[in-house]
Amino acid sequence: MRKKIINIILDNNREFISGEEISKQLGISRSAVWKHIKSLKEEGYNIESINKKGYRLKEKPKDLLSSQNIAHELNTKFLGKSIFHFETIDSTNTYAKKIASEEVDGTVVISEEQTLGRGRLGRIWDSKAYEGIWMSIILKPNILPYRTPFLTIIAGASIANALNNLGVSVGIKWPNDIILNGKKLCGILTELSAEIERVNYIVLGIGMNVKNLNFPNEIENIATSLCKEGYDLSRVDIVREILCELEKNYLEFIKNENREKIIDTYKKYSVVLGKNIFVIKNDDRELVECVDINIDGNLIVKKSNGAIKEVMSGEVSVRGENGY
Ligand code: BTX
C-alpha cells in the first residue's frame, strides 16, 4: 500500500493531492492514508501536509535506492520486478546467492552500503554508504554453463550503453571494468551455481562509484566516481537505465542467440582494442597487441613473434602499456 501511495505522490509532480483523493483512489480510509504518509516521512520522504490542501512531495526524495523509487517508471518486463533493499549488508552478492533458489528470475538485491563488498578472486570492493550503486541481479537462464561467461560481456556492454544514454562517455577495459577518464568507475562480479548441464542461477554483481569524493589510499590512483569526474546523476536513474539496457541485451542473447550485436557494442567501447597491453598471469607479464575481441568475448592478441593467441577471461588480467 505504501508503494501505491508513494507512486500517487510521485506521479502528482509536486502538486498537492488531498487525503480524500488518495483514499478514494486506493479504497482505504483517510486515517490509513495519514498513517502511511507518517511512516514514509520517517523513511526520509520530504512530504508536506497542509490542512485542506493535502499532501505533496516538497522535494525529490533523497536519492534512496528503495524498491519504490526504483520501481517507479521502471520499464522492464522482468528485471527488478522484485527488489530487496538494505541500508547496510555484508555483500549483496553473498545475500543474493543465499536467496537465489527461492526467488524469481530477475530479482535485484541492492544496498546503500556493503561492509564486505567483494571483487574477483577474493579482492575487496570499497562500498561506502550512499556513495555508489552496490547491486546484484539474480538470473536463471536456460543455457549450458560454459556459455555463462558471455553474461559478463553483456553486463559490460549494457552498463556502458546505460551511462552513454545518460551522457557519460565511458570505456570498457576487458573483461569487466568500466573506465572513465582512464580510471575504474565500475566493476562486475559474476558468480555461478551450476550442475554439469544446467545453470541453477547466476548472480551478476555490479559496483559503481557515483558520489564518492575520496577513495582509500591504495586505490586513489586507479579509482574514480561520476561525481569526481563532474557528473551529478541520480543513482536511481542509473539503476533503472542499467536494468533496461541489461534486460534488452540479455533477452537478445537468450532468445535470439544474437551475440554479434552485443559484441559489436562491446567493441565500440573497448579501451584495449588496437592497443599494446600487458597480459598478466601470476608473476608473468607479456606485452602483446590486442587485435580483436571474438564472438565468445575472448581477446585475440598478437605476440611479439607475430603469433596470434586467444586469451580467455578468468585466467589473466590486462594492463595498458602506459598505466591502468
Ligand atoms: P575486481 O577484482 O576487478 O576489482 C577489485 C579491485 O579494484 C580491488 O583489488 C581494488 O584494487 C580496486 N577497487 C576496490 N574497490 C574499488 C572501488 N570502489 N572502485 C574502484 N576500484 C576499486 C570487480 O572486481 C568487481 C566488483 C564487484 C562489486 C559488486 S558491488 C555489488 C556486488 N556485491 C559484492 O560483494 N560485489 C559486487
Side-chain angles (χ1 to χ4, degrees), residues 91-93 114 118-120 123-126 184 209 223:
S91 150
T92 55
N93 260 43
Q114 291 185 122
R118 296 188 285 114
R120 292 175 304 150
R123 297 184 199 124
I124 289 170
W125 187 258
D126 184 64
K184 189 157 166 169
N209 306 315

Side-chain angles (χ1 to χ4, degrees), residues 11-12 15 43 65 73 75-76 88 165-166 175 185 195 199 216 272 301 312 319:
D11 282 339
N12 227 39
E15 294 295 319
E43 243 178 63
L65 298 169
E73 291 177 355
N75 295 319
T76 53
T88 185
N165 296 345
L166 295 168
L185 176 75
E195 289 154 33
V199 171
V272 298
V301 301
M312 280 159 62
R319 285 279 169 274

Side-chain angles (χ1 to χ4, degrees), residues 178-186 219-225 228-229 324:
I178 304 292
I179 302 295
L180 181 55
N181 294 336
K183 292 185 171 179
K184 189 157 166 169
L185 176 75
C186 170
I219 58 169
E220 210 189 325
N221 294 328
I222 57 157
T224 197
S225 71
K228 268 190 111 171
E229 302 299 329
Y324 188 73

Side-chain angles (χ1 to χ4, degrees), residues 1 6 56 59 65 76 81-82 92 108 149 207 250 255 267 310:
M1 189 53 75
I6 197 65
R56 75 171 178 144
E59 55 186 12
L65 298 169
T76 53
K81 290 297 161 195
S82 163
T92 55
V108 168
Y250 175 78
K255 293 213 163 118
K267 278 160 78 164
E310 182 171 348

